[in-house]
Amino acid sequence: MGQKKDSKSEKGVLETIREVNRKDRMKRISSESERIKKAAHEKDLADEAYRKELQKDKIELIKIKQGIKEEDEIKQDETKYTFLQKVGAFFYCNKPMVITASFFIFLAGFLIYDLARKDRPDVTAMIITSDENMETCYENIASVVDEYIVDVNENGEIHSTMYYLPFGEDIDPYTLQASSTKLFAFMQDGETMLVIASDEVEDYVFPEKTLENLEELYPDNEHIKGHGFYFAGTKFAEEIGYEGELPDDVYIGIRKVSKGARYREKMQKNYDHAKAVLDGIIDRYS
């Protein structure tokens, strides 16, 4: 009987020990689990803080790229500067723009100055011929024309300008090309209306299409034939200082006003002034 009681008592003690051990183990497991949960929570909080800080940095970077400043930064920048400091800062920060603007201002000033000094004749004329002697006489021809013009551009001066355009079989190709370009340009605007030419350049001028029929404007004038007043038999060569004998086919004419030209009004005005000059020259040498 005593042995059975001891056996039962021993089993009770073992069960008690096992229960205590089990409870301790469960306590340790529970404690370890809480520790792991707490560590995981703290890690989540740290990760969240890191993400927020990273997002803040990204926003700041975007602001910097877009030139946006925080209010405290703006307040710090609200330093009062003198006018000279502001001007100096502007030029320093905008050097490329200032240099470019200065160049265009200089260019505009130069063009305005050049335009103000540019020769502004009241009447212009083309001298279209292969005769080099006519080129040496262009200033004397201008003097004759000046006697019949008025101050068209109202600049206080009265003078004309002659443009010599050499054409003909003996003219070198480069000069001929340059003359052709100038002639085309003159024929495309409404400025130069008077033409002094010779029959040899008919293929360049096309007088039947470009010049007025003077027989209709000045009937019964013995020096007029078709589109030109011919200087042969007049004092024209003598008065302009022409060396030698002036060819019989040299004449003066006036361009037609182009009906469809966009500059018709200007061309008509220049035609009227040129016509007054032509009237005086025809009356002078008839």
Side-chain angles (χ1 to χ4, degrees), residues 90-192:
F90 173 81
F91 280 100
Y92 179 80
C93 297
N94 300 276
K95 284 188 286 187
M97 183 180 68
V98 171
I99 293 173
T100 303
S102 299
F103 170 76
F104 283 107
I105 291 173
F106 171 78
L107 181 61
F110 175 79
L111 292 176
I112 292 173
Y113 175 75
D114 183 65
L115 182 62
R117 298 190 62 215
K118 186 178 180 180
D119 180 39
R120 298 174 59 196
D122 299 289
V123 172
T124 58
M126 292 179 278
I127 303 176
I128 308 172
T129 178
S130 62
D131 189 351
E132 295 180 354
N133 289 334
M134 290 294 291
E135 181 182 12
T136 61
C137 300
Y138 77 94
E139 291 185 353
N140 293 334
I141 297 175
S143 297
V144 172
V145 172
D146 289 349
E147 296 183 29
Y148 303 99
I149 62 177
V150 295
D151 188 7
V152 176
N153 51 39
E154 299 180 349
N155 64 349
E157 299 180 356
I158 295 177
H159 74 102
S160 59
T161 296
M162 305 291 112
Y163 298 104
Y164 177 70
L165 307 178
F167 282 92
E169 296 180 356
D170 298 332
I171 305 299
D172 68 87
Y174 298 103
T175 302
L176 190 61
Q177 179 62 41
S179 296
S180 298
T181 302
K182 292 179 182 179
L183 178 61
F184 178 80
F186 284 132
M187 288 296 186
Q188 291 301 309
D189 68 20
E191 294 286 347
T192 305

Side-chain angles (χ1 to χ4, degrees), residues 5 20 49 53 67 71 74 85 115 138 219 273:
K5 287 182 180 180
V20 170
E53 187 66 24
E71 289 186 3
I74 294 175
Q85 288 175 326
L115 182 62
Y138 77 94
H273 294 302

